Amino acid sequence: MGVPERRAQLAYSDTQALMLDEASRRAKAAKVAAVVQHFRGVEDLAGLRVVDVGCSGGIVADALRERGAEVLGLDIDVPGLARAARRFGATTSFVCADSQRMPLRDAVADVVVCNHVYEHVVDPAALFAEMRRVVRPDGQVYLGLGNRLGVVEPHYRLPFLSWLPRRLAHRYVRASGRAEHYHEAFATRAGLRRLAAGLHVWDYTYPVLADPAAFAGGDAVPGAVARLPRPALRALRPVVPTYLWVATTAPQRPRGPRLAWDPEPVSTTRA
């Protein structure tokens, strides 16, 4: 069996019902908002222009709007966008557009949200370049980044799927009966640092792991993990399923209060 060419996913929400799950999407939005608010040192998102990249059915975009933001949702998920427009179009704008070529002016967004998107696009380097272009110099990019070395692949719930060479990954996911082929392409932490080259990055992964209640992270952080000692958590860094980063184009520091585990800077590297 040959390796299928990676193409744009035009109807992703039709294959992944979780994209339309109200409770889980609003929980994710609460975590996004909590991290952004801490970084900016604010209590809500009032007055901020937010671009939600990969908005699908619009639930996260609507939840961010409820926190005061003016939100624009971008996606190529046509059925998801249709649902978003029907439910939330009166209060939020949605555009069918490729995130690798955003139809937006330079420096137009206070916040860009990119939550579990990069592994779906054909050219993640182009996605990162566009996010750098559209965010304001004093703005932030929220990055929820899946890790190739996470033990259980998050879309198909298959252990070690993302570790495999693509040809074997296709065979594995097909044999499981969960998909015809494996589209997603994850990077390791080192690869993500290269994608973020030119950005100033703060890592909120461990602040959320150490105190999920403070960041509405209870949906993703088992209680046992939050109780692990710091050396154990640091040892798990290579296989943490998701990294939570806040990136900026100009040097900035988190402005929120001190935490049980403060955000740490990430050294980005050139490809």
Side-chain angles (χ1 to χ4, degrees):
M1 182 183 68
V3 178
E5 180 183 355
R6 295 187 76 232
R7 300 177 182 274
Q9 293 177 297
L10 301 179
Y12 185 66
S13 61
D14 279 353
T15 62
Q16 292 285 339
L18 193 61
M19 297 299 296
L20 304 174
D21 181 77
E22 194 82 19
S24 68
R25 301 305 293 173
R26 291 192 179 274
K28 287 184 183 298
K31 182 168 56 182
V32 171
V35 169
V36 171
Q37 288 167 194
H38 182 271
F39 191 90
R40 295 183 68 96
V42 297
E43 296 296 323
D44 55 33
L45 304 178
L48 299 181
R49 300 185 71 181
V50 175
V51 174
D52 181 16
V53 175
C55 65
S56 191
I59 299 171
V60 169
D62 181 65
L64 298 177
R65 178 200 61 80
E66 289 178 342
R67 288 165 171 79
E70 175 189 342
V71 185
L72 170 66
L74 296 179
D75 211 319
I76 56 171
D77 176 4
V78 175
L81 284 170
R83 295 183 181 97
R86 286 195 299 270
R87 288 195 62 190
F88 310 119
T91 54
T92 300
S93 299
F94 298 98
V95 175
C96 185
D98 187 344
S99 61
Q100 299 159 107
R101 294 180 296 276
M102 298 186 200
L104 302 175
R105 301 190 310 276
D106 294 355
V108 71
D110 297 300
V111 178
V112 177
V113 174
C114 183
N115 193 44
H116 294 280
V117 174
Y118 87 91
E119 70 270 21
H120 298 287
V121 304
V122 176
D123 186 355
L127 165 64
F128 271 71
E130 281 292 87
M131 292 191 292
R132 287 193 291 268
R133 181 182 67 81
V134 303
V135 72
R136 290 167 51 94
D138 59 348
Q140 297 83 35
V141 179
Y142 174 95
L143 298 167
L145 303 168
N147 177 14
R148 182 179 179 183
L149 297 183
V151 174
V152 178
E153 203 280 346
H155 303 90
Y156 304 101
R157 310 305 300 172
L158 294 172
F160 303 110
L161 172 62
S162 57
W163 292 43
L164 297 174
R166 297 206 64 77
R167 188 179 300 275
L168 293 179
H170 290 309
R171 292 177 178 174
Y172 185 14
V173 79
R174 177 173 285 187
S176 75
R178 300 185 189 184
E180 283 299 305
H181 67 274
Y182 185 50
H183 174 88
E184 287 70 23
F186 287 95
T188 63
R189 182 180 175 88
L192 293 169
R193 288 169 58 211
R194 288 191 290 271
L195 280 174
L199 292 168
H200 304 269
V201 176
W202 288 85
D203 192 340
Y204 273 79
T205 309
Y206 285 128
V208 174
L209 288 175
D211 190 359
F215 289 98
D219 64 311
V221 182
V225 171
R227 293 191 293 272
L228 287 174
R230 289 195 180 193
L233 284 172
R234 288 193 184 279
L236 291 173
R237 174 173 278 161
V239 295
V240 168
T242 300
Y243 300 114
L244 304 178
W245 292 355
V246 174
T248 63
T249 59
Q252 297 183 40
R253 297 183 63 86
R255 302 173 201 157
R258 294 294 303 270
L259 300 167
W261 190 320
D262 286 325
E264 300 172 338
V266 176
S267 175
T268 59
T269 58
R270 293 291 176 186

